[in-house]
Amino acid sequence: RTLASRLGALTRAVSTMGEEANGAQVQDGGQAEVAALASAVNRSAGRLARESQRARDEQGVRDLILSSMQEGVLLVGDDGRVAFSNEALVRHLGARPGSTWTLFPLGLRDAVDRVSRSRAPMSVEVEIGAPTRWLRGTVVPASEGSSVLVVVRDVTEARRLEAVRRD
């Protein structure tokens, strides 16, 4: 093959390197310089493919853990938009908020706003729904910026047991 066609094949391989799950591979025969370059591209493609697979595997484990939790998890970014929420949060709140502006109940939203500004962790208990349920939100700073992590737990039964014990 000509030098131009070999270089064209290398260019295409490098262009698709991040898109293919198993890494782009090119023939590494021919002129010594082009063969060495092709071999380096193939090694890089293999490393990139392994790293991509490892990242997908790790993401799958994180997703499994977070989707299996009874606690709702919410990550609010610096811009006030929801960066992540799990299914338990949707069960607790009744909807998946898109930003702090759509986060209800208001007591939880206020806690998120306060922690975002003050960077001081706090907990808040809020009443929601009919029949009434009580949720405890633990709100903590999540990064150097104003991102906030919220963990929501249903404490209705614990409150009921506490009331029975007091009576």
Side-chain angles (χ1 to χ4, degrees), residues 28-96:
D28 55 6
Q31 295 177 342
E33 294 83 4
V34 174
L37 178 59
S39 181
V41 166
N42 287 339
R43 284 191 307 276
S44 293
R47 280 192 302 272
L48 182 59
R50 286 187 299 278
E51 285 297 314
S52 293
Q53 184 60 49
R54 189 176 61 105
R56 282 191 300 277
D57 292 346
E58 288 174 0
Q59 181 66 44
V61 168
R62 276 191 300 276
D63 289 347
L64 177 63
I65 291 167
L66 291 168
S67 67
S68 300
M69 293 177 63
Q70 291 182 351
E71 295 85 2
V73 178
L74 174 71
L75 178 63
V76 178
D78 292 340
D79 59 1
R81 285 188 264 177
V82 171
F84 176 83
S85 61
N86 66 355
E87 289 305 314
L89 183 85
V90 176
R91 285 191 305 273
H92 289 315
L93 301 183
R96 185 179 311 276

